[in-house]
Amino acid sequence: MEDSAHPKRSVTVADVAKAAKVSKATAARVLGGYGVVSAKITDQVMAAAAALEYRPNELARSMSTGRSGIIGVVVGDIENAFFSLAVRGISDAARLAGFNVIIANSGEELDAEKSAVDLLIGKRVDGLIVTPARCDSFDHLQHVRRAGVPLVLFDRAIPELDVDAVTGDDREAAIAATRYLIGQGHRRLAYVSAMDAEDGGLTDIGRISNSAVRERVEGFVSVLTEAGLPNPLRYVRLGATNQEQTDGVIKHLLSESAAPTALLASDSLVGLRIFKSLQSLGLSIPKDVSMISFLDADWTSVTVPPITIVNQRVYEMGKLAGERLIARIERTPLAVERLRVSTSLIVRGSVAAISR
Protein backbone atom coordinates (compact mmCIF):
# COMPACT_ATOMS: atom_id res chain seq x y z
CA MET A 1 0.00 0.00 0.00
CA GLU A 2 1.33 3.46 -0.96
CA ASP A 3 2.38 5.66 1.93
CA SER A 4 0.21 8.81 1.74
CA ALA A 5 2.84 10.74 3.69
CA HIS A 6 5.38 10.01 0.95
CA PRO A 7 3.50 10.20 -2.36
CA LYS A 8 4.92 8.60 -5.46
CA ARG A 9 7.39 10.80 -7.36
CA SER A 10 6.21 12.05 -10.74
CA VAL A 11 7.69 10.20 -13.69
CA THR A 12 9.98 12.45 -15.72
CA VAL A 13 11.18 12.45 -19.32
CA ALA A 14 14.55 11.29 -18.01
CA ASP A 15 12.87 8.23 -16.42
CA VAL A 16 11.18 7.37 -19.72
CA ALA A 17 14.45 7.84 -21.61
CA LYS A 18 16.29 5.51 -19.23
CA ALA A 19 13.60 2.80 -19.50
CA ALA A 20 13.53 3.10 -23.30
CA LYS A 21 17.35 3.13 -23.49
CA VAL A 22 17.46 6.35 -25.49
CA SER A 23 18.75 9.85 -24.80
CA LYS A 24 16.64 12.34 -22.90
CA ALA A 25 16.54 14.56 -26.02
CA THR A 26 15.16 11.69 -28.11
CA ALA A 27 12.53 10.84 -25.49
CA ALA A 28 11.53 14.52 -25.33
CA ARG A 29 11.12 14.66 -29.12
CA VAL A 30 8.85 11.59 -29.11
CA LEU A 31 6.77 12.70 -26.10
CA GLY A 32 6.55 16.28 -27.35
CA GLY A 33 5.59 15.28 -30.88
CA TYR A 34 8.31 17.26 -32.63
CA GLY A 35 11.44 16.47 -34.59
CA VAL A 36 12.16 13.31 -36.61
CA VAL A 37 12.43 9.95 -34.84
CA SER A 38 12.26 6.46 -36.35
CA ALA A 39 9.14 4.37 -35.87
CA LYS A 40 11.12 1.77 -33.89
CA ILE A 41 12.46 4.32 -31.40
CA THR A 42 9.02 5.99 -31.15
CA ASP A 43 7.47 2.64 -30.24
CA GLN A 44 10.19 2.03 -27.61
CA VAL A 45 9.63 5.41 -25.98
CA MET A 46 5.83 5.19 -26.03
CA ALA A 47 5.91 1.69 -24.56
CA ALA A 48 8.21 2.87 -21.75
CA ALA A 49 5.98 5.89 -21.10
CA ALA A 50 2.89 3.67 -20.87
CA ALA A 51 4.63 1.21 -18.55
CA LEU A 52 5.76 4.01 -16.24
CA GLU A 53 2.36 5.79 -16.44
CA TYR A 54 4.10 8.95 -17.61
CA ARG A 55 2.00 12.11 -17.60
CA PRO A 56 3.28 15.20 -19.46
CA ASN A 57 3.96 18.39 -17.57
CA GLU A 58 1.61 20.78 -19.37
CA LEU A 59 3.30 23.91 -18.03
CA ALA A 60 6.72 22.74 -19.17
CA ARG A 61 5.33 21.76 -22.56
CA SER A 62 3.65 25.14 -23.00
CA MET A 63 6.92 26.89 -22.16
CA SER A 64 8.82 24.84 -24.73
CA THR A 65 6.23 24.96 -27.54
CA GLY A 66 4.62 28.32 -26.84
CA ARG A 67 1.21 26.63 -26.63
CA SER A 68 -0.92 25.29 -23.80
CA GLY A 69 -3.05 22.98 -25.95
CA ILE A 70 -6.14 24.55 -24.35
CA ILE A 71 -9.05 26.51 -25.84
CA GLY A 72 -11.17 28.73 -23.60
CA VAL A 73 -14.93 28.96 -24.14
CA VAL A 74 -17.24 31.51 -22.48
CA VAL A 75 -20.96 30.84 -23.01
CA GLY A 76 -24.02 32.79 -21.97
CA ASP A 77 -25.99 30.17 -20.05
CA ILE A 78 -24.86 26.55 -19.82
CA GLU A 79 -28.35 25.62 -18.53
CA ASN A 80 -29.69 26.48 -21.98
CA ALA A 81 -29.71 23.44 -24.29
CA PHE A 82 -28.50 25.71 -27.09
CA PHE A 83 -25.15 26.28 -25.38
CA SER A 84 -24.81 22.67 -24.22
CA LEU A 85 -25.08 21.49 -27.83
CA ALA A 86 -22.69 24.20 -28.98
CA VAL A 87 -20.06 23.22 -26.40
CA ARG A 88 -20.26 19.62 -27.57
CA GLY A 89 -19.56 20.73 -31.13
CA ILE A 90 -16.68 22.94 -30.02
CA SER A 91 -15.22 20.17 -27.84
CA ASP A 92 -15.39 17.59 -30.63
CA ALA A 93 -13.58 19.92 -33.04
CA ALA A 94 -10.98 20.70 -30.39
CA ARG A 95 -10.39 17.07 -29.48
CA LEU A 96 -9.87 16.06 -33.12
CA ALA A 97 -7.20 18.77 -33.39
CA GLY A 98 -5.49 17.76 -30.12
CA PHE A 99 -6.82 20.56 -27.92
CA ASN A 100 -8.57 20.47 -24.55
CA VAL A 101 -11.36 22.88 -23.60
CA ILE A 102 -12.02 24.97 -20.49
CA ILE A 103 -15.62 26.21 -20.25
CA ALA A 104 -16.81 29.26 -18.32
CA ASN A 105 -20.40 30.43 -17.85
CA SER A 106 -21.15 34.17 -17.85
CA GLY A 107 -24.84 33.89 -16.98
CA GLU A 108 -25.29 36.64 -19.61
CA GLU A 109 -23.63 39.08 -17.18
CA LEU A 110 -20.97 41.39 -18.64
CA ASP A 111 -18.85 41.54 -15.46
CA ALA A 112 -18.86 37.74 -15.17
CA GLU A 113 -17.82 37.50 -18.81
CA LYS A 114 -14.93 39.92 -18.25
CA SER A 115 -13.75 37.90 -15.23
CA ALA A 116 -13.96 34.65 -17.19
CA VAL A 117 -11.96 36.10 -20.09
CA ASP A 118 -9.29 37.41 -17.70
CA LEU A 119 -9.08 34.02 -15.98
CA LEU A 120 -8.72 32.12 -19.25
CA ILE A 121 -6.09 34.50 -20.59
CA GLY A 122 -4.24 33.94 -17.29
CA LYS A 123 -4.39 30.20 -17.99
CA ARG A 124 -2.48 30.88 -21.23
CA VAL A 125 -5.19 29.46 -23.47
CA ASP A 126 -4.26 29.27 -27.13
CA GLY A 127 -7.51 30.90 -28.21
CA LEU A 128 -10.97 31.97 -27.05
CA ILE A 129 -14.54 31.42 -28.19
CA VAL A 130 -16.88 33.93 -26.54
CA THR A 131 -20.62 34.51 -26.63
CA PRO A 132 -20.71 38.23 -25.77
CA ALA A 133 -23.31 39.18 -23.17
CA ARG A 134 -23.52 42.61 -24.76
CA CYS A 135 -22.54 43.54 -28.30
CA ASP A 136 -22.21 47.23 -27.37
CA SER A 137 -19.53 46.78 -24.69
CA PHE A 138 -16.44 44.94 -25.81
CA ASP A 139 -13.28 46.69 -24.57
CA HIS A 140 -12.25 43.46 -22.82
CA LEU A 141 -12.46 41.61 -26.14
CA GLN A 142 -10.37 44.30 -27.81
CA HIS A 143 -7.79 43.59 -25.11
CA VAL A 144 -7.81 39.91 -26.13
CA ARG A 145 -7.04 40.92 -29.71
CA ARG A 146 -4.28 43.30 -28.62
CA ALA A 147 -2.76 40.48 -26.56
CA GLY A 148 -2.50 38.43 -29.76
CA VAL A 149 -4.87 35.69 -28.58
CA PRO A 150 -7.06 34.32 -31.42
CA LEU A 151 -10.74 35.07 -30.79
CA VAL A 152 -13.95 33.80 -32.39
CA LEU A 153 -17.41 35.07 -31.40
CA PHE A 154 -20.24 32.57 -31.11
CA ASP A 155 -23.98 33.14 -31.69
CA ARG A 156 -23.54 36.92 -31.71
CA ALA A 157 -21.55 39.28 -33.91
CA ILE A 158 -19.73 42.54 -33.25
CA PRO A 159 -18.68 43.97 -36.64
CA GLU A 160 -16.57 46.70 -35.01
CA LEU A 161 -14.36 44.06 -33.41
CA ASP A 162 -13.08 42.68 -36.76
CA VAL A 163 -12.95 39.03 -35.67
CA ASP A 164 -14.64 35.89 -36.96
CA ALA A 165 -18.16 35.18 -35.74
CA VAL A 166 -20.25 32.03 -36.13
CA THR A 167 -23.98 32.68 -35.82
CA GLY A 168 -27.34 31.40 -36.92
CA ASP A 169 -29.16 33.13 -39.74
CA ASP A 170 -31.28 34.83 -37.11
CA ARG A 171 -33.11 37.42 -39.16
CA GLU A 172 -34.13 34.92 -41.83
CA ALA A 173 -35.14 32.38 -39.17
CA ALA A 174 -37.52 34.87 -37.55
CA ILE A 175 -38.87 35.87 -40.95
CA ALA A 176 -39.68 32.24 -41.83
CA ALA A 177 -41.43 31.60 -38.49
CA THR A 178 -43.41 34.84 -38.61
CA ARG A 179 -44.47 34.34 -42.24
CA TYR A 180 -45.72 30.87 -41.34
CA LEU A 181 -47.90 32.33 -38.57
CA ILE A 182 -49.19 35.04 -40.92
CA GLY A 183 -49.92 32.35 -43.49
CA GLN A 184 -52.01 30.49 -40.92
CA GLY A 185 -54.20 33.57 -40.54
CA HIS A 186 -52.69 35.13 -37.41
CA ARG A 187 -52.65 38.93 -37.27
CA ARG A 188 -51.83 39.54 -33.61
CA LEU A 189 -48.41 38.03 -32.96
CA ALA A 190 -46.11 38.40 -29.94
CA TYR A 191 -42.35 37.91 -29.70
CA VAL A 192 -41.08 37.04 -26.19
CA SER A 193 -37.41 37.18 -25.15
CA ALA A 194 -35.44 36.65 -21.94
CA MET A 195 -33.41 39.81 -22.44
CA ASP A 196 -33.61 42.17 -19.49
CA ALA A 197 -35.80 45.25 -19.92
CA GLU A 198 -36.94 47.96 -17.54
CA ASP A 199 -40.58 47.90 -18.59
CA GLY A 200 -40.75 44.72 -20.67
CA GLY A 201 -41.71 46.59 -23.81
CA LEU A 202 -39.63 47.84 -26.71
CA THR A 203 -39.69 51.13 -28.58
CA ASP A 204 -36.30 51.08 -30.35
CA ILE A 205 -34.89 47.87 -31.87
CA GLY A 206 -31.46 49.49 -32.13
CA ARG A 207 -31.18 49.53 -28.34
CA ILE A 208 -31.14 45.72 -28.13
CA SER A 209 -27.56 44.88 -27.13
CA ASN A 210 -27.74 41.19 -28.12
CA SER A 211 -27.22 40.94 -31.89
CA ALA A 212 -29.06 37.59 -32.19
CA VAL A 213 -32.16 38.92 -30.43
CA ARG A 214 -31.98 42.21 -32.32
CA GLU A 215 -31.87 40.46 -35.70
CA ARG A 216 -34.74 38.14 -34.78
CA VAL A 217 -36.88 41.08 -33.70
CA GLU A 218 -35.94 42.87 -36.94
CA GLY A 219 -37.10 39.84 -38.92
CA PHE A 220 -40.30 39.54 -36.91
CA VAL A 221 -41.14 43.24 -37.31
CA SER A 222 -40.28 43.25 -41.03
CA VAL A 223 -42.88 40.56 -41.74
CA LEU A 224 -45.58 42.35 -39.73
CA THR A 225 -44.78 45.55 -41.64
CA GLU A 226 -44.81 43.65 -44.93
CA ALA A 227 -48.27 42.31 -44.03
CA GLY A 228 -49.52 45.86 -43.37
CA LEU A 229 -50.12 45.28 -39.66
CA PRO A 230 -50.09 48.45 -37.49
CA ASN A 231 -47.65 49.08 -34.63
CA PRO A 232 -45.47 45.96 -35.14
CA LEU A 233 -43.54 46.52 -31.89
CA ARG A 234 -46.73 46.45 -29.81
CA TYR A 235 -46.42 42.80 -28.82
CA VAL A 236 -42.63 42.52 -28.52
CA ARG A 237 -41.89 41.64 -24.90
CA LEU A 238 -38.53 41.39 -23.14
CA GLY A 239 -37.77 40.36 -19.56
CA ALA A 240 -38.89 36.69 -19.53
CA THR A 241 -35.79 35.85 -17.50
CA ASN A 242 -37.33 33.25 -15.18
CA GLN A 243 -40.65 31.48 -14.67
CA GLU A 244 -42.17 34.16 -12.46
CA GLN A 245 -41.26 36.94 -14.88
CA THR A 246 -42.52 34.91 -17.84
CA ASP A 247 -45.81 34.23 -16.06
CA GLY A 248 -46.23 37.98 -15.66
CA VAL A 249 -45.33 38.70 -19.29
CA ILE A 250 -47.77 36.11 -20.67
CA LYS A 251 -50.59 37.05 -18.29
CA HIS A 252 -50.23 40.72 -19.25
CA LEU A 253 -50.12 39.96 -22.98
CA LEU A 254 -53.19 37.73 -22.92
CA SER A 255 -55.20 40.12 -20.76
CA GLU A 256 -55.11 42.83 -23.43
CA SER A 257 -58.38 43.61 -25.18
CA ALA A 258 -56.86 42.48 -28.48
CA ALA A 259 -54.67 39.69 -27.13
CA PRO A 260 -52.17 38.00 -29.44
CA THR A 261 -53.28 34.71 -30.99
CA ALA A 262 -49.73 33.41 -31.51
CA LEU A 263 -46.46 33.58 -29.56
CA LEU A 264 -42.88 33.28 -30.85
CA ALA A 265 -40.35 32.31 -28.14
CA SER A 266 -36.80 33.56 -28.62
CA ASP A 267 -35.15 30.38 -27.28
CA SER A 268 -36.00 26.98 -25.83
CA LEU A 269 -35.83 28.08 -22.18
CA VAL A 270 -38.25 30.91 -22.86
CA GLY A 271 -40.40 28.51 -24.87
CA LEU A 272 -40.62 26.06 -21.98
CA ARG A 273 -41.49 28.86 -19.56
CA ILE A 274 -44.23 30.07 -21.91
CA PHE A 275 -45.60 26.53 -22.19
CA LYS A 276 -45.76 26.28 -18.39
CA SER A 277 -47.35 29.75 -18.14
CA LEU A 278 -50.10 28.76 -20.56
CA GLN A 279 -50.70 25.54 -18.63
CA SER A 280 -51.00 27.45 -15.35
CA LEU A 281 -53.60 29.72 -16.95
CA GLY A 282 -55.58 26.70 -18.10
CA LEU A 283 -55.04 27.57 -21.77
CA SER A 284 -54.72 25.02 -24.53
CA ILE A 285 -52.16 25.01 -27.36
CA PRO A 286 -53.12 25.64 -30.15
CA LYS A 287 -56.86 25.96 -29.42
CA ASP A 288 -56.47 29.09 -27.29
CA VAL A 289 -53.10 30.35 -28.50
CA SER A 290 -50.54 29.12 -31.04
CA MET A 291 -46.83 28.93 -30.35
CA ILE A 292 -43.43 28.54 -32.04
CA SER A 293 -40.08 28.23 -30.23
CA PHE A 294 -36.50 28.51 -31.38
CA LEU A 295 -34.38 25.31 -31.02
CA ASP A 296 -35.35 21.67 -31.24
CA ALA A 297 -34.90 21.03 -27.51
CA ASP A 298 -35.98 17.63 -26.15
CA TRP A 299 -39.09 18.99 -24.44
CA THR A 300 -40.53 20.42 -27.67
CA SER A 301 -41.21 16.97 -29.19
CA VAL A 302 -42.80 15.34 -26.11
CA THR A 303 -45.40 17.96 -25.20
CA VAL A 304 -49.04 17.63 -26.23
CA PRO A 305 -49.14 18.87 -28.87
CA PRO A 306 -45.46 18.86 -29.93
CA ILE A 307 -44.11 22.37 -30.56
CA THR A 308 -43.38 23.83 -33.98
CA ILE A 309 -39.75 24.96 -33.84
CA VAL A 310 -37.04 26.89 -35.63
CA ASN A 311 -34.42 24.19 -36.08
CA GLN A 312 -31.00 25.68 -35.34
CA ARG A 313 -28.04 23.49 -36.31
CA VAL A 314 -26.31 24.28 -33.05
CA TYR A 315 -23.86 21.36 -32.95
CA GLU A 316 -22.66 22.34 -36.43
CA MET A 317 -22.35 25.96 -35.29
CA GLY A 318 -20.18 24.92 -32.34
CA LYS A 319 -18.04 22.63 -34.48
CA LEU A 320 -17.55 25.37 -37.06
CA ALA A 321 -16.54 27.85 -34.34
CA GLY A 322 -14.02 25.36 -32.96
CA GLU A 323 -12.58 24.67 -36.39
CA ARG A 324 -12.36 28.36 -37.17
CA LEU A 325 -10.51 29.12 -33.93
CA ILE A 326 -8.08 26.25 -34.53
CA ALA A 327 -7.38 27.62 -38.02
CA ARG A 328 -6.58 30.98 -36.42
CA ILE A 329 -4.31 29.33 -33.84
CA GLU A 330 -2.52 27.52 -36.67
CA ARG A 331 -2.20 30.87 -38.48
CA THR A 332 -4.10 29.67 -41.54
CA PRO A 333 -4.52 32.71 -43.83
CA LEU A 334 -8.27 33.47 -43.86
CA ALA A 335 -10.29 36.62 -44.32
CA VAL A 336 -12.31 37.69 -41.25
CA GLU A 337 -15.85 36.44 -41.76
CA ARG A 338 -19.25 36.18 -40.19
CA LEU A 339 -20.23 32.56 -40.84
CA ARG A 340 -24.02 32.13 -40.79
CA VAL A 341 -25.44 28.64 -40.32
CA SER A 342 -28.86 28.23 -41.93
CA THR A 343 -32.01 27.22 -40.05
CA SER A 344 -35.29 25.54 -41.01
CA LEU A 345 -38.83 25.47 -39.69
CA ILE A 346 -40.14 22.14 -38.38
CA VAL A 347 -43.94 22.22 -38.36
CA ARG A 348 -45.65 20.21 -35.62
CA GLY A 349 -48.96 20.68 -33.88
CA SER A 350 -48.71 23.91 -31.91
CA VAL A 351 -49.98 26.32 -34.56
CA ALA A 352 -53.66 26.45 -35.49
CA ALA A 353 -55.02 28.02 -38.64
CA ILE A 354 -57.54 30.76 -37.96
CA SER A 355 -60.04 32.40 -40.27
CA ARG A 356 -59.13 35.89 -41.42
Side-chain angles (χ1 to χ4, degrees), residues 16 19-20 30-31 40-53:
V16 174
V30 173
L31 297 172
K40 179 181 178 182
I41 295 298
T42 297
D43 289 344
Q44 282 180 220
V45 172
M46 295 307 292
L52 293 172
E53 297 183 352

Side-chain angles (χ1 to χ4, degrees), residues 193-271:
S193 170
M195 275 204 63
D196 286 327
E198 291 181 5
D199 58 4
L202 179 68
T203 57
D204 181 4
I205 296 175
R207 294 181 61 187
I208 299 176
S209 64
N210 179 318
S211 68
V213 174
R214 182 175 64 248
E215 289 171 15
R216 291 175 194 178
V217 173
E218 286 173 349
F220 174 79
V221 167
S222 73
V223 175
L224 300 190
T225 302
E226 176 185 276
L229 300 178
N231 194 9
L233 288 176
R234 174 180 176 181
Y235 296 120
V236 175
R237 292 292 185 273
L238 309 180
T241 54
N242 55 40
Q243 191 60 54
E244 182 181 0
Q245 293 292 104
T246 305
D247 289 344
V249 167
I250 298 304
K251 187 174 181 180
H252 186 267
L253 271 172
L254 298 182
S255 66
E256 295 200 18
S257 57
T261 60
L263 306 172
L264 178 56
S266 64
D267 64 55
S268 64
L269 278 182
V270 172

Side-chain angles (χ1 to χ4, degrees), residues 19-183:
K21 298 181 180 177
V22 299
S23 70
K24 182 178 176 182
T26 297
R29 281 196 294 274
V30 173
L31 297 172
Y34 61 89
V36 179
V37 183
S38 70
K40 179 181 178 182
I41 295 298
T42 297
D43 289 344
Q44 282 180 220
V45 172
M46 295 307 292
L52 293 172
E53 297 183 352
Y54 169 78
R55 296 289 181 271
N57 183 322
E58 297 296 342
L59 178 59
R61 184 167 67 180
S62 97
M63 290 176 66
S64 64
T65 65
R67 290 187 183 173
S68 64
I70 299 171
I71 288 171
V73 179
V74 183
V75 296
D77 183 1
I78 201 66
E79 180 188 1
N80 192 324
F82 176 90
F83 290 115
S84 298
L85 277 171
V87 166
R88 193 171 76 187
I90 293 168
S91 298
D92 285 352
R95 177 175 50 80
L96 287 172
F99 288 86
N100 292 311
V101 175
I102 297 177
I103 302 163
N105 186 50
S106 73
E108 300 289 8
E109 294 289 339
L110 181 61
D111 287 343
E113 178 188 311
K114 290 178 178 179
S115 296
V117 167
D118 285 345
L119 175 66
L120 291 168
I121 293 296
K123 295 285 186 183
R124 299 173 59 89
V125 295
D126 294 326
L128 280 172
I129 296 174
V130 177
T131 300
R134 297 185 63 93
C135 297
D136 57 359
S137 183
F138 49 88
D139 286 349
H140 60 299
L141 299 178
Q142 288 282 26
H143 173 71
V144 172
R145 292 187 68 245
R146 287 193 292 268
V149 178
L151 170 66
V152 171
L153 302 184
F154 181 78
D155 185 48
R156 299 155 199 176
I158 304 175
E160 300 90 340
L161 200 54
D162 195 33
V163 298
D164 297 311
V166 178
T167 72
D169 203 349
D170 293 299
R171 194 176 192 278
E172 292 303 316
I175 286 173
T178 311
R179 279 184 178 157
Y180 177 71
L181 292 171
I182 293 288

Side-chain angles (χ1 to χ4, degrees), residues 178-187 290 351-356:
T178 311
R179 279 184 178 157
Y180 177 71
L181 292 171
I182 293 288
Q184 295 301 302
H186 294 274
R187 290 296 180 270
S290 293
V351 177
I354 61 176
S355 57
R356 301 185 183 184

